[in-house]
Amino acid sequence: MSCALNLSPRALEILACRELPEWQSWQWQLAHTLSASDFGIQDYPKFPLRVTPYYATLADLNAGATDPIARQFLVAQEEFLPDDFSPDPFGETAHAAIAPGIKQRYPDRILAMMNVTCSTYCRHCTRRGLLGQACRADLETLIAAIQARPTIREVLLSGGDPLLLPDEEVLRWVNALTALPQLDAVRLCTRTPVVLPMRWTDTLIEALATSGRVWVQTQFNHPNELSPEVQTLATRLARAGIPVSNQSVLLRGINDDPAVMAKLCAGLQRNRIRPYYIFLCDPIAGINHFRTSVQTAQDMRQYLLNHLGGLACPRVVADLPDATHKTDV
Ligand code: SF4
């Protein structure tokens, strides 16, 4: 492969497996994730480069870091520059915590960190400074916290990526939670549909569909992520009756062109994935180079309103630390 990046022999060998049956195994993908040394670039030790072979092949590696997919997983030089931002502006490690890995910011929802790793580390991740020190929630503590708070009607299982856990562990949590009559929905917050679609085996989909109360929340950021594998997965999830909603992040150099974002939203709707939110990129240490101006977000919102019907048009919002709801731009 001719490539602007200096791919290691290991990377070339792994990426050449694309047509082999093992490529479709999510465990194989996890066992063969690529790291900074595979791309011949400097790593960022506190939040290392990790990408699934599948997601790496969505990128045009000849274009290097200018490619909108590669830009989401390659460590950039800007990450090493000092900035004035905190790694934790939302106080995730300090407040709103009910117990380790469990927190409540809104009256009707509770969030639990079910896992602290990801198959692909998104360079723009809001939790990039926290994942290494985060705690996993305890299921029994979570259930007790929900039962003690009758206003809670929805639980968000997040991380890290909860879907990196084995089926038995995912289903232990989901089945215990969907058995609670007070909960209307269990949201699985996962980027696996984008970076590891083979994680969604028939067995898992069938088991998750049983309760009728599981929702998937994911993060597509660019139309190039809507691969044939994703289109097939979206059909399987729709047929199983599992609703999928999407929360994009507005990222400079990736999707801050309104025509690109409109194409993504239309593609999501075509695949029955609801374009739900576009988040302004949070002011987190190390990701300033991804942030856009508020004016860019407002122009984006106006363009989408002018070009898309309501069902394909997400809300453009900011997640402000002390707000009681997402704030429209
Ligand atoms: S999948 Fe989510 S938690 Fe993991 S690195 Fe990406 S944005 Fe962060």
Side-chain angles (χ1 to χ4, degrees), residues 188-199:
L188 284 172
C189 308
T190 172
R191 221 179 166 209
T192 51
V194 185
V195 297
L196 189 66
M198 49 288 284
R199 172 64 187 96

Side-chain angles (χ1 to χ4, degrees), residues 92 96 98-105 109-114 127 137 142 152 154-159 189 217:
E92 291 209 29
I98 291 172
I102 301 174
K103 62 176 190 158
Q104 183 183 18
R105 277 180 69 194
R109 282 156 281 167
I110 193 167
L111 181 137
M113 298 276 278
M114 202 171 149
R127 295 186 181 140
L142 174 62
I152 291 176
E154 193 174 348
V155 61
L156 283 74
L157 299 177
S158 185
C189 308
Q217 176 177 305

Side-chain angles (χ1 to χ4, degrees), residues 47 117-118 120-122 124-127 131 159-161 191 219:
F47 188 64
T117 58
C118 302
T120 296
Y121 287 121
C122 317
H124 55 274
C125 177
T126 301
R127 295 186 181 140
L131 284 179
D161 200 318
R191 221 179 166 209
Q219 185 199 131

